[in-house]
Amino acid sequence: MAIRNIVKYGDDRLVAPNQTVEDFDDPELKRLVGDLFETCWKAPGYGLAAPQIGVNLRVAVVDLSIGKNPDSRLVLINPRILETEGQIRDEEGCLSFPDIVEIVERPEIVAIEAFDLSGARKEYAGRDLLARAFCHEIDHLSSKLFVDRLSSLKRSFVLRRVLKRQKKGAW
Ligand code: NI
């Protein structure tokens, strides 16, 4: 496993289409998942999606314990939201937007399906932070970024800050 470079906003791979995983026997898939966890823990973050390390596949990981508890490591291959309930506004960030935190509205409870490394279909339910992490990572796999969930005014404000930092070479 290796720590990979996290691509930041402005990189085309963050908004490129992501392919569905079909070959669960490909050893590259296992390596990709391992790299996603390592890179996510190192950052540190609660989740990371493959396009964030420049791989346009529908693969993401979530681990709210950030490497502390093996039971909380979730591999999300070809994940899909099944059901949502409630709405909650809370702070949210993204490893592809370093040092930017905004209030984003997300479902309070989310049920998803995803496939694990062996190709088995799993269902997970999450609330609050876990629900937020599921939605955030699944958005990444649909080439959608958390700033796309902000009002257009707020979004343009955030992107102006990013542009300023890009110009200064601080992005
Ligand atoms: Ni993100």
Side-chain angles (χ1 to χ4, degrees), residues 35-54:
D35 288 356
L36 281 170
F37 275 121
E38 287 240 323
T39 307
C40 184
W41 297 331
K42 177 78 195 325
Y46 292 129
L48 191 64
Q52 291 182 278
I53 58 169

Side-chain angles (χ1 to χ4, degrees), residues 52 94 136 140:
Q52 291 182 278
C94 176
H136 182 110
H140 270 299

Side-chain angles (χ1 to χ4, degrees), residues 45-118:
Y46 292 129
L48 191 64
Q52 291 182 278
I53 58 169
V55 178
N56 286 116
L57 283 175
R58 295 188 56 80
V59 179
V61 298
V62 167
D63 179 3
L64 297 191
S65 82
I66 315 184
K68 290 201 178 78
N69 178 6
D71 294 336
S72 74
R73 290 174 202 174
L74 301 176
V75 176
L76 309 181
I77 301 174
N78 305 335
R80 190 167 69 91
I81 290 176
L82 299 174
E83 225 178 308
T84 68
E85 199 183 305
Q87 289 291 318
I88 194 161
R89 291 165 59 80
D90 206 347
E91 289 187 336
E92 189 170 319
C94 176
L95 293 174
S96 295
F97 288 79
D99 304 320
I100 290 177
V101 173
E102 292 295 333
I103 300 285
V104 181
E105 185 169 290
R106 294 285 191 185
E108 187 180 359
I109 302 171
V110 175
I112 67 165
E113 70 162 23
F115 294 82
D116 68 10
L117 268 174
S118 68

